[in-house]
Amino acid sequence: MDPVVARKTWRTLEPLHGIIYFAAEREEMFESLGLRSEHGYFVTRAAAMGAVGAEVVVATFFNFHPGFVHAAMRDAWSLTTPGKAVAVRTETAGRMLRRILGDEAVTSTAMREAAAIARDAAEEATLRPEGRALFAGHAALDWPPDDEPHVVLWHAQTLLREYRGDAHVAALAMEGVTGCEALVLHAATGDVSPRVLQASRRWSDDEWAA
């Protein structure tokens, strides 16, 4: 795979997955699960791994301040269950995509073709789950039905995203780069501002400066 092609493929598909973290429907999703808004992200993304504790989320999500994760996961599984969180997240993703893309796009031949190609790639990835804990959790989930190709595409990109992300974590850990250091390096590329990365991951000014 040409790295340029791989990068362009990621940039094209990532927004289809990433809307689950930003679109308006996410607040309704968190509320329906009984979760606080700022902490619902951790619970709904981690739910594919089961009722895991904060330390597992710290390890697999990698670059968030551990204290922030512990606060987010406190009593989480007394408020909802992993199965419900996964189901609501998938249903919400389908509604988001339908609203944003429109009925014609989500039922189109092009959508079905895109979903089939992405699913082929994702299923190939499932042959090598070793060392990819977050990916493996999502890979064990049932596929959405074929009559919802936009949700199939979303799920496929979710798998590919987590596969890629787990590989990033492994590479960073091998080089001895911490979660906060990884964010500082990311900020240095200019893709995302340091202020956004530091604030969203809850690192203090002193920790960031160090």
Side-chain angles (χ1 to χ4, degrees), residues 23-84:
E25 289 88 344
R26 77 176 198 143
E27 298 303 322
E28 180 184 337
M29 172 177 65
F30 297 154
E31 183 178 349
S32 72
L33 293 169
L35 301 172
R36 292 162 292 173
S37 175
E38 68 179 72
H39 299 149
Y41 158 77
F42 294 101
V43 178
T44 53
R45 186 179 172 207
M49 296 186 290
V52 296
E55 291 300 341
V56 174
V57 179
V58 169
T60 53
F61 286 35
F62 191 75
N63 60 26
F64 290 86
H65 193 288
F68 181 34
V69 177
H70 278 270
M73 296 302 296
R74 187 176 299 123
D75 301 324
W77 303 123
S78 67
L79 301 173
T80 189
T81 65
K84 184 176 181 181

Side-chain angles (χ1 to χ4, degrees), residues 51-145:
V52 296
E55 291 300 341
V56 174
V57 179
V58 169
T60 53
F61 286 35
F62 191 75
N63 60 26
F64 290 86
H65 193 288
F68 181 34
V69 177
H70 278 270
M73 296 302 296
R74 187 176 299 123
D75 301 324
W77 303 123
S78 67
L79 301 173
T80 189
T81 65
K84 184 176 181 181
V86 166
V88 171
R89 185 177 191 246
T90 303
E91 185 273 334
T92 301
R95 286 193 292 111
M96 285 179 177
L97 285 171
R98 186 175 290 275
R99 174 179 64 81
I100 293 169
L101 300 176
D103 288 339
E104 183 177 348
V106 300
T107 60
S108 66
T109 299
M111 180 62 73
R112 290 193 295 273
E113 291 175 347
I117 293 170
R119 179 168 181 168
D120 282 347
E123 289 183 333
E124 185 72 18
T126 65
L127 301 178
R128 292 292 302 276
E130 299 87 355
R132 293 177 167 90
L134 189 51
F135 163 77
H138 288 274
L141 301 177
D142 292 335
W143 278 90

Side-chain angles (χ1 to χ4, degrees), residues 146-167:
D146 291 339
D147 62 356
E148 294 187 305
H150 60 302
V151 188
V152 173
L153 178 59
W154 177 81
H155 182 64
Q157 175 57 14
T158 300
L159 298 188
L160 294 170
R161 180 186 198 266
E162 301 298 10
Y163 187 91
R164 179 176 183 267
D166 285 345

